[in-house]
Amino acid sequence: MMLMDNKVATHHRFIKKFERDLKAYFDAGDDARFLSTFSKYTNLAEPSEHAEEMLYETLLRSKRPGELVDYSLEQMNNGDGNYETHMVYMLQALSDMGNYEEVLEFSGHLLEEPIPQSFRIDILSLRQNAANKLRGMLSDQEPVISKEEFDKFNLFQQLEFVEKITAAHDITYANLITEVFSEIKRNELKTAMLLYLRSVRSNGTLTFEKCGVKMTVQPAELGSLEEYFIVKDVLPKVLDEVEQFNPSFTEAAAELLMGHAIYMYPVQPDFTAEAAVKAYCERIEEMLGMPESYEADAKVKHWLGEIEREIAENSL
């Protein structure tokens, strides 16, 4: 037992010595010896968060971002170390490599998750920097589609085009979409444009009216469609209720609410999600010829009726 204790103590001393050496080489800017020692160190133990931060700084300093990306992805895939540290440095490395589209794609997904505020601030900063760099690279390029050509598209073509550039995080069209937004009458297309401008972190504000509500928004600060109250807070509860009284109608109910969400986003009515759940459930009961049973607020039912009327009058 004493022999085993001695081996453990010796192993621990070796690790501490490596960590001291790593700090000394890092402070001295001796990147080659740092990287060589780090490799030996990781053969003995899982690296500490501080050691990995020094590794990342060393790889960035020595212009080896590709190795940083490979290492961070491997650590994240294995579930080792601090995920936030790996991700922040990986995005920085991708940016240093000029892979700004990848930075926008990774960061866009991250910002849709409930991540800690300090992590969110780091990601927003890296995303904005990548967007600015990409905007600078593309500033001398003319968009392939001009305003005149966009105006000639029918509604379906316009929606398809906006969805395509949103998926590609194509910042080239930010000015075009901002310019034509005020001319757009269809709520579905306004929603698609807002989501596009959100995806490329568009600066500035937009003032418009939707569903009788006047608003001024900053697209970069909007939540995703998945975070919109109808999708996040109302839809799941309505589907749970419909599953109880008419399971065969759940798919139709989902299509109904998603259609309303796309039409209304990002309007926030002055009533609770629970009130909306009751109104939708009674509306579905009515559609199915069933007696109303949810005691929905008359004001909310009137709102729902107005939304349905607007959609019917402006149907695709």
Side-chain angles (χ1 to χ4, degrees):
M1 184 66 180
M2 182 63 71
L3 183 60
M4 181 62 72
D5 288 344
N6 287 339
K7 287 183 177 179
V8 171
T10 300
H11 180 76
H12 184 70
R13 285 197 297 271
F14 267 122
I15 292 172
K16 289 301 180 184
K17 182 181 185 306
F18 273 124
E19 290 178 345
R20 289 194 299 272
D21 289 346
L22 287 172
K23 178 72 164 59
Y25 297 146
F26 178 79
D27 290 343
D30 192 340
D31 297 340
R33 294 183 75 180
F34 177 92
L35 294 172
S36 175
T37 303
F38 187 87
S39 178
K40 297 172 185 175
Y41 165 61
T42 53
N43 287 332
L44 287 176
E46 286 294 320
S48 68
E49 183 178 348
H50 180 56
E52 287 191 319
E53 287 178 354
M54 289 192 293
L55 170 68
Y56 287 149
E57 292 289 347
T58 298
L59 290 172
L60 290 175
R61 184 168 63 192
S62 57
K63 310 296 184 188
R64 299 164 76 164
E67 294 176 42
L68 191 160
V69 172
D70 291 342
Y71 178 86
S72 60
L73 283 174
E74 181 180 0
Q75 293 297 92
M76 286 188 284
N77 287 336
N78 292 337
D80 295 330
N82 185 287
Y83 176 82
E84 295 174 19
T85 299
H86 296 320
M87 182 57 73
V88 167
Y89 276 102
M90 187 189 77
L91 291 179
Q92 182 60 63
L94 287 172
S95 189
D96 286 358
M97 295 165 70
N99 295 352
Y100 305 121
E101 295 91 344
E102 288 188 64
V103 176
L104 292 175
E105 182 177 358
F106 271 114
S107 60
H109 291 309
L110 281 169
L111 292 171
E112 292 173 0
E113 300 296 327
I115 58 178
Q117 185 63 22
S118 59
F119 186 32
R120 181 174 294 274
I121 290 170
D122 288 338
I123 297 302
L124 282 169
S125 176
L126 288 162
R127 182 178 176 83
Q128 188 62 58
N129 179 69
N132 290 341
K133 292 287 183 62
L134 192 58
R135 186 178 289 112
M137 289 169 58
L138 299 173
S139 61
D140 295 330
Q141 299 180 20
E142 288 295 325
V144 176
I145 303 298
S146 67
K147 181 179 183 302
E148 291 72 24
E149 290 173 303
F150 182 83
D151 288 341
K152 291 177 183 177
F153 286 167
N154 61 38
L155 178 61
F156 290 105
Q157 291 172 321
Q158 289 176 332
L159 281 168
E160 184 178 31
F161 171 74
V162 176
E163 289 170 1
K164 180 179 178 181
I165 61 176
T166 301
H169 297 280
D170 189 345
I171 203 168
T172 312
Y173 291 95
N175 290 337
L176 169 62
I177 298 302
T178 300
E179 180 183 356
V180 302
F181 184 84
S182 62
E183 304 169 8
I184 300 302
K185 305 300 181 186
R186 300 299 296 265
N187 277 7
E188 300 91 339
L189 185 53
K190 283 184 179 179
T191 292
M193 289 179 164
L194 287 170
L195 292 173
Y196 162 73
L197 293 172
R198 173 185 179 273
S199 78
V200 297
R201 311 303 297 173
S202 175
N203 296 320
T205 60
L206 291 171
T207 299
F208 58 97
E209 181 175 327
K210 235 188 184 195
C211 304
V213 178
K214 292 182 178 179
M215 65 186 77
T216 298
V217 304
Q218 293 179 292
E221 301 301 320
L222 289 173
S224 66
L225 185 62
E226 290 74 17
E227 295 171 311
Y228 186 48
F229 86 103
I230 290 181
V231 180
K232 181 174 179 285
D233 301 320
V234 179
L235 176 60
K237 293 180 180 179
V238 170
L239 294 186
D240 284 345
E241 294 296 320
V242 175
E243 184 69 30
Q244 296 299 315
F245 65 74
N246 194 319
S248 64
F249 198 76
T250 52
E251 185 174 344
E255 291 179 1
L256 172 70
L257 269 72
M258 282 304 301
H260 287 191
I262 292 169
Y263 188 82
M264 291 179 57
Y265 173 93
V267 175
Q268 295 289 335
D270 60 349
F271 48 77
T272 65
E274 192 59 40
V277 170
K278 291 181 178 180
Y280 272 109
C281 287
E282 282 201 354
R283 175 67 184 116
I284 292 170
E285 286 178 330
E286 182 183 346
M287 292 169 68
L288 295 172
M290 299 172 61
E292 298 175 0
S293 63
Y294 285 85
E295 299 181 353
D297 187 308
K299 182 181 72 171
V300 184
K301 289 186 69 175
H302 176 74
W303 160 82
L304 180 53
E306 287 297 301
I307 295 299
E308 289 187 325
R309 181 184 60 77
E310 279 190 33
I311 293 175
E313 290 177 353
N314 300 281
S315 63
L316 293 174

